[in-house]
Amino acid sequence: HPTQKPLKVMENIVAKASEPNMLVLDPFLGSGTAMVACKNLKRSCIGVEINSKYIEIIKKRLNWGSSLSNKIEWEFRVEKNV
């Protein structure tokens, strides 16, 4: 992703702006750094990304479907432009 943020920077932002078990919204998910930071810091995260090609990157970064707890809900939905 052309503007991927360093994970440590994003973890610092998430840690200061929220508390464990809170819900974080990232309306510009990109490659998923905020979502990774939330996972590491025990926050829930809702992410929105307009470019569907980044969804596969996000899934790989999060090991989607293999290493997550059963308590985490995931929905990847691609909306077609009407």
Side-chain angles (χ1 to χ4, degrees):
H1 192 273
T3 61
Q4 183 174 339
K5 313 301 182 280
L7 180 58
K8 291 294 179 191
V9 170
M10 191 56 68
E11 286 177 338
N12 190 29
I13 292 168
V14 169
K16 290 182 179 191
S18 64
E19 296 180 14
N21 301 313
M22 288 184 95
L23 177 63
V24 175
L25 170 65
D26 184 354
F28 308 102
L29 193 58
S31 63
T33 304
M35 197 169 271
V36 173
C38 287
K39 178 183 171 197
N40 292 348
L41 296 171
K42 304 204 182 339
R43 272 71 166 172
S44 296
C45 183
I46 294 175
V48 178
E49 176 54 51
I50 195 169
N51 192 332
S52 62
K53 76 178 184 179
Y54 292 118
I55 300 301
E56 289 306 315
I57 293 170
I58 296 163
K59 285 180 177 183
K60 286 179 186 173
R61 286 189 78 190
L62 290 164
N63 249 347
W64 179 66
S66 62
S67 68
L68 301 173
S69 125
N70 291 334
K71 295 180 182 178
I72 299 175
E73 294 180 28
W74 294 89
E75 178 181 340
F76 289 96
R77 180 176 39 181
V78 177
E79 299 283 332
K80 302 287 183 191
N81 290 338
V82 179

